[in-house]
Amino acid sequence: MTRLSPELHTLSKVFPCFQALSPEEWADAQPVLRVFPAHSALFRSEDAAEYAVFLLAGTVQISNITEDGREALASRLTAGDICAMMVLSGLSEREYPGAMTAETEVAALFVTKSSFLLWIQRHAPIRNAVFGNILDGLIRMGGSLSAKLSKPLEARLAEVLLKLTAEQPTIHITHKQLAAELGSVREVVSRQLNRMQLKGWITTGRGCVSIQQREALKELVGDQVTED
């Protein structure tokens, strides 16, 4: 049995399908393991022209720019997920339309884009895993979009704040970042935050939000209070 390189062994634990690769194919891919701190840029269009990236640990956000110039959160990936836009832009030879940003500290493995596209063509286990992963992601994205459309912005904002403060009452996040998370604009999100602050539910500072009345936010999410 051929011994796997340390990088391929690490990748295969998160993505078992890559066990189909030979040592020669892996060496040709020029793998590089990198660690990124939270909130740092991980992968952009200029990177996608040369590399494919696989998340081994941590969480990343995928955002893109809408036609009206807003940054919108397209999806969120955790270890073992594959970015659909990375695969589809590579196969169609189109520019990667988004930006990947580390939400937490992230470990990621980079390989050459040409090698990854060859793997998809040559190896059925890799091809099936990649497109199955993308299908699962699209199903989750559709469910998330449906949930967003069925809830008013104030309730969705409360839900996001509750999620982000699950471990500590204060988070460091800008109004612009919250707007991208919600698919809204900064001005609208700022108005909603001001309303919550006037009610005593939260306090805000420069680049941070602190939860003061968690139960009030939970009731808002449950009641789905309409936006006035």
Side-chain angles (χ1 to χ4, degrees):
M1 180 176 178
T2 303
R3 185 177 178 181
L4 299 177
S5 70
E7 294 88 355
L8 181 53
H9 179 70
T10 300
L11 180 66
S12 297
K13 288 195 295 184
V14 183
F15 299 93
C17 64
F18 290 119
Q19 294 176 10
L21 296 173
S22 69
E24 293 75 21
E25 287 174 307
W26 185 242
D28 288 343
Q30 302 172 33
V32 177
L33 182 63
R34 297 181 63 188
V35 176
F36 297 84
H39 311 303
S40 61
L42 189 78
F43 198 67
R44 292 176 175 165
S45 57
E46 56 267 28
D47 302 307
E50 301 291 335
Y51 304 103
V53 61
F54 302 96
L55 194 62
L56 304 182
T59 305
V60 300
Q61 293 182 341
I62 311 295
S63 59
N64 54 26
I65 305 301
T66 64
E67 291 183 357
D68 59 359
R70 289 190 292 110
E71 181 182 4
L73 179 67
S75 63
R76 180 179 279 103
L77 304 181
T78 58
D81 292 332
I82 295 175
C83 177
M85 291 196 297
M86 178 190 74
V87 177
L88 298 178
S89 65
L91 290 173
S92 62
E93 298 186 353
R94 293 178 59 179
E95 184 174 287
Y96 183 71
M100 191 180 297
T101 304
E103 190 172 64
T104 64
E105 182 177 88
V106 164
L109 203 146
F110 289 73
V111 300
T112 57
K113 170 186 170 183
S114 56
S115 293
F116 174 56
L117 295 180
L118 280 175
W119 297 348
I120 293 176
Q121 296 175 43
R122 290 176 177 172
H123 300 286
I126 294 177
R127 184 168 58 251
N128 295 341
V130 166
F131 288 106
N133 191 294
I134 290 174
L135 178 59
D136 290 340
L138 292 174
I139 292 172
R140 290 195 303 270
M141 189 184 302
S144 176
L145 178 60
S146 177
K148 284 184 177 181
L149 293 176
S150 66
K151 292 182 180 179
L153 179 63
E154 190 178 28
R156 290 193 284 123
L157 175 57
E159 190 171 20
V160 167
L161 291 176
L162 288 170
K163 178 182 177 181
L164 295 177
T165 58
E167 297 182 358
Q168 69 285 322
T170 300
I171 51 169
H172 294 282
I173 192 168
T174 66
H175 293 195
K176 182 180 179 181
Q177 289 170 326
L178 280 171
E181 177 89 18
L182 293 163
S184 183
V185 295
R186 183 182 58 80
E187 293 79 7
V188 174
V189 170
S190 294
R191 286 199 297 270
Q192 293 291 352
L193 289 170
N194 288 338
R195 292 176 184 174
M196 290 181 177
Q197 184 162 237
L198 288 172
K199 294 174 181 177
W201 297 348
I202 65 171
T203 57
T204 62
R206 188 173 182 82
C208 68
V209 178
S210 296
I211 305 302
Q212 303 300 320
Q213 296 186 33
R214 195 170 188 84
E215 290 304 316
L217 294 180
K218 288 182 178 179
E219 289 178 9
L220 179 60
V221 172
D223 293 340
Q224 297 189 13
V225 177
T226 57
E227 180 183 2
D228 52 43

